[in-house]
Amino acid sequence: QVQLVESGGGLVQPGGSLRLSCAASGRTFSNSAVAWFRQPPGKEREFVAGIFRTGSRTYYDDAVKGRFTISTDNAKKTLFLQMDSLRSEDTAAYYCALGPRVILSSLRNPTQYEYWGQGTQVTVSS
């Protein structure tokens, strides 16, 4: 079993930055992908960024390309999402996720992930 604990959310002005963290515990060696999803108010959960472990390849939703960076500290079992140039439309609850058997073609599909963080709120407002 894997536990994921998120932190780093908060209120930030447009154009500002935040860094989200997701600390993992338990047996994580079998994961094939880690990712960040977000759920804006009144909308469904959507893919933000992910890392497919084969080749350590990163993937981003078009809405965040060039602004967000996903990374890991494997020694500390921590996943990060650096968010720069934040916009009001980035406002959402953000969730980290780990999938033991994610296939690349379905990387963006939240149903592929077995373990989820509790969520951390990011609000971008002036």
Side-chain angles (χ1 to χ4, degrees), residues 1-120:
Q1 189 72 16
V2 176
Q3 295 81 45
L4 304 176
V5 179
E6 302 177 33
S7 62
L11 175 64
V12 64
Q13 294 184 342
S17 298
L18 283 174
R19 188 194 193 199
L20 305 184
S21 298
C22 175
S25 62
R27 302 178 69 179
T28 62
F29 60 86
S30 64
N31 79 86
S32 62
V34 293
W36 290 95
F37 291 79
R38 67 186 181 186
Q39 188 164 14
K43 298 183 179 180
E44 296 183 352
R45 192 165 298 186
E46 63 186 25
F47 177 81
V48 176
I51 302 175
F52 195 72
R53 294 307 179 94
T54 301
S56 297
R57 298 173 64 180
T58 59
Y59 300 85
Y60 296 91
D61 184 79
D62 288 343
V64 306
K65 283 182 179 178
R67 300 189 299 119
F68 290 11
T69 303
I70 186 171
S71 63
T72 61
D73 183 334
N74 292 329
K76 297 183 180 296
K77 291 187 175 182
T78 303
L79 176 69
F80 301 100
L81 184 67
Q82 178 66 42
M83 304 184 295
D84 299 319
S85 301
L86 283 162
R87 306 165 180 168
S88 60
E89 53 262 43
D90 296 317
T91 296
Y94 283 71
Y95 300 86
C96 60
L98 186 154
R101 294 177 176 84
V102 176
I103 59 175
L104 182 58
S105 61
S106 297
L107 184 70
R108 300 172 61 89
N109 190 341
T111 66
Q112 295 291 298
Y113 296 83
E114 183 173 347
Y115 303 104
W116 292 85
Q118 82 281 7
T120 185

